[in-house]
Amino acid sequence: MKISENRVGVLLLAGGQGTRLGVQYPKGMYNVGLPSGKTLYQIQAERILKIQELSDRKHGSKCTVPWYIMTSEFTLAPTEKFFKENNYFGLESSNIVMFEQRMVPALDSDQKIIMQDKGKLAMAPDGNGGLYQALVDNEVLEDMKKRGVEYLHVYCVDNILVKMADPVFIGFCVSKGADCGAKVVEKAYPAEPVGVVCRVRGVAQVVEYNEIREITAERRGPGGELMFSAGNICNHFFTRAFLQEVAEKYKDQLKQHIALKKVPCVDMCGNHVTPTRPNGIKLEKFVFDVFPFSRSFVVFEVLREDEFSPLKNADGAATDSPTTARNALLAQHSRWATAAGATLLDEHGNLLPPTASVSAGDNQAARCEISPLVSYFGEGLEKLLRGRTLPSPFILDEKMAKELQAQ
Ligand SMILES: CC(=O)N[C@H]1[C@@H](OP(=O)(O)OP(=O)(O)OC[C@H]2O[C@@H](n3ccc(=O)[nH]c3=O)[C@H](O)[C@@H]2O)O[C@H](CO)[C@@H](O)[C@@H]1O
């Protein structure tokens, strides 16, 4: 209902540098090797298009979910260029608002500034909590007000399974009267690099993975489950009213977190140095550090296999790589196809038992990819797929959907 009334927007945090993934361009432009070759940005854009269409169809009206994209000095120009070259992936360019976060100088261990070049300071984005200053600098809250946006789904760029403007999550937060909310998955293992949503001395907040003590992360309850298991997936809900309050009263109170990073620099003689070990400190603010200011904070737990597979590392890493992201999406789409009544074949034409397509870790999973333009979260597939046997790879895009419907 809120979506159909143009009251929901999405905001992408895309100012990070993707250093762990090791690419020089914005992470959203990354292609994880899906049969369709789609990038993360394209998948996200198509999910917005679909949610608008589903809402329009249900309510018989035309709605818009504006897409706010926070970039940084590193990511703004290439992101703008990429969107333009791709014709905004079918979205109205006027409904995509890109803005830039601030940069701060990197420091060495004596807290002195680092020179990146003669006459140029080494700078880094001020963390995803730089969002709140950036909202003010770029008058983004005014834009939201003008459009009538009251609820915002904020998310990070690298989760291939992200449900843009998720009506279930937004609906849950709104129905609870929340001003602020976080989507979580059950943490997989104590050292997993996800923050945990918890209460510290009664106050709801996130303790980040590099700031939690090992002994605390390992604590278990009576049934052997992790005591701090609400893994933050960087999917947040905010009301515009709450963001306005943060902008006016709290944004300067956000704490600074310290990240040790390798910062390319020049030495005393002006020679360029590419450090092999962390030589610099970056000060970052975190997006979730506003949770303690919330008056009504809610947590919403979802299934990892349906909603969380982040792209953090280059291939070769055991977790959170292009391969694991690709497999997670293909496994999910195979589950949807099977649930809709299709039978899947593997790449050699052998029948896959329905369970073989369930796990993302299963290399034999059928390569079944369903375009977000056909289905947002598995809905509407029965009429297309019931009773069919699907080869691998199988791409169910809009053209294929039309063909199947006509048969
Ligand atoms: C501070 C924060 O949110 N940490 C969360 C983040 O960790 P993680 O350390 O993985 O966070 P990333 O460095 O990937 O940044 C998260 C998002 O913030 C954006 N970004 C980052 C820095 C910046 O200056 N500007 C900016 O926009 C990135 O582009 C990305 O979309 O995701 C994990 C889930 O995947 C969560 O468990 C962590 O709790």
Side-chain angles (χ1 to χ4, degrees):
M1 195 62 187
K2 308 295 178 199
I3 292 177
S4 68
E5 294 166 357
N6 300 325
R7 287 158 76 186
V8 176
V10 290
L11 191 148
L12 166 60
L13 302 166
Q17 290 174 275
T19 30
R20 276 178 286 170
L21 184 60
V23 291
Q24 298 304 317
Y25 53 85
K27 244 191 201 182
M29 288 164 54
Y30 197 87
N31 161 5
V32 299
L34 289 168
S36 66
K38 284 179 191 171
T39 59
L40 295 175
Y41 279 150
Q42 181 168 359
I43 295 169
Q44 292 172 20
E46 291 183 352
R47 288 190 186 138
I48 297 177
L49 279 166
K50 188 63 179 178
I51 202 77
Q52 291 181 161
E53 187 210 311
L54 288 172
S55 171
D56 289 352
R57 220 179 319 137
K58 182 154 179 217
H59 298 280
S61 55
K62 183 101 196 65
C63 79
T64 299
V65 176
W67 193 4
Y68 297 94
I69 304 181
M70 183 174 83
T71 59
S72 64
E73 194 177 296
F74 297 119
T75 58
L76 178 61
T79 302
E80 274 178 343
K81 184 161 172 271
F82 190 67
F83 272 65
K84 207 163 173 199
E85 278 167 6
N86 286 284
N87 207 12
Y88 302 92
F89 305 103
L91 287 160
E92 290 284 341
S93 61
S94 59
N95 295 327
I96 301 177
V97 179
M98 293 189 196
F99 60 99
E100 216 177 315
Q101 67 179 107
R102 290 189 183 181
M103 305 283 282
V104 289
L107 305 173
D108 68 12
S109 51
D110 297 325
Q111 299 190 20
K112 293 204 173 112
I113 51 175
I114 298 178
M115 300 306 287
Q116 185 189 319
D117 226 324
K118 284 187 198 166
K120 189 165 190 268
L121 300 183
M123 303 286 282
D126 59 351
N128 59 15
L131 169 67
Y132 306 104
Q133 182 63 52
L135 291 178
V136 174
D137 291 346
N138 301 284
E139 299 181 358
V140 177
L141 293 173
E142 285 75 4
D143 184 273
M144 287 178 195
K145 191 170 178 194
K146 224 167 26 200
R147 293 171 190 263
V149 171
E150 283 172 40
Y151 309 107
L152 201 62
H153 175 209
V154 174
Y155 69 101
C156 86
V157 68
D158 56 25
N159 176 13
I160 199 166
L161 302 182
V162 63
K163 286 176 77 182
M164 318 281 306
D166 178 9
V168 185
F169 177 50
I170 306 276
F172 173 78
C173 295
V174 173
S175 71
K176 294 284 176 197
D179 53 11
C180 185
K183 218 186 233 195
V184 299
V185 299
E186 188 177 357
K187 196 174 163 183
Y189 53 95
E192 188 185 13
V194 291
V196 288
V197 183
C198 58
R199 282 210 176 83
V200 179
R201 289 179 212 95
V203 181
Q205 53 199 269
V206 175
V207 176
E208 189 61 319
Y209 55 88
N210 54 2
E211 296 178 357
I212 193 169
R213 290 199 324 193
E214 203 178 317
I215 190 168
T216 312
E218 283 174 354
R219 275 175 74 179
R220 291 185 185 269
E225 73 287 356
L226 286 177
M227 183 97 83
F228 298 105
S229 64
N232 175 38
I233 62 170
C234 202
N235 263 247
H236 308 314
F237 165 88
F238 298 112
T239 60
R240 181 169 51 83
F242 178 73
L243 292 174
Q244 191 68 49
E245 223 182 324
V246 169
E248 282 164 17
K249 290 199 233 157
Y250 305 123
K251 72 172 173 7
D252 299 325
Q253 295 177 32
L254 295 191
K255 58 183 164 215
Q256 299 281 357
H257 299 261
I258 288 179
L260 297 175
K261 301 259 166 100
K262 292 180 223 162
V263 183
C265 55
V266 284
D267 64 17
M268 298 299 265
C269 310
N271 303 314
H272 285 270
V273 181
T274 309
T276 49
R277 274 187 288 153
N279 61 326
I281 295 169
K282 287 186 180 173
L283 293 175
E284 296 191 328
K285 291 179 181 162
F286 289 171
V287 65
F288 49 65
D289 276 343
V290 296
F291 291 175
F293 305 121
S294 158
R295 270 183 226 106
S296 172
F297 176 70
V298 294
V299 182
F300 188 69
E301 182 172 338
V302 295
L303 281 180
R304 175 186 291 261
E305 65 178 15
D306 280 337
E307 299 205 29
F308 185 53
S309 181
L311 172 64
K312 306 282 184 193
N313 307 311
D315 254 335
T319 55
D320 304 345
S321 70
T323 298
T324 59
R326 182 175 68 244
N327 284 347
L329 185 121
L330 295 175
Q332 181 188 51
H333 292 188
S334 299
R335 290 195 298 275
W336 290 351
T338 309
T343 303
L344 305 177
L345 301 179
D346 69 14
E347 299 199 337
H348 309 289
N350 301 318
L351 276 182
L352 280 167
T355 47
S357 60
V358 168
S359 160
D362 183 351
N363 288 331
Q364 298 305 310
R367 291 170 61 76
C368 170
E369 182 184 349
I370 299 172
S371 165
L373 298 174
V374 174
S375 183
Y376 173 79
F377 199 62
E379 79 291 341
L381 297 175
E382 275 201 17
K383 61 180 189 298
L384 303 172
L385 299 181
R386 172 153 298 283
R388 295 189 190 273
T389 300
L390 310 179
S392 180
F394 177 74
I395 302 181
L396 179 52
D397 55 14
E398 280 181 300
K399 183 164 164 271
M400 173 67 82
K402 273 203 194 102
E403 279 172 31
L404 292 174
Q405 207 149 22
Q407 281 171 20

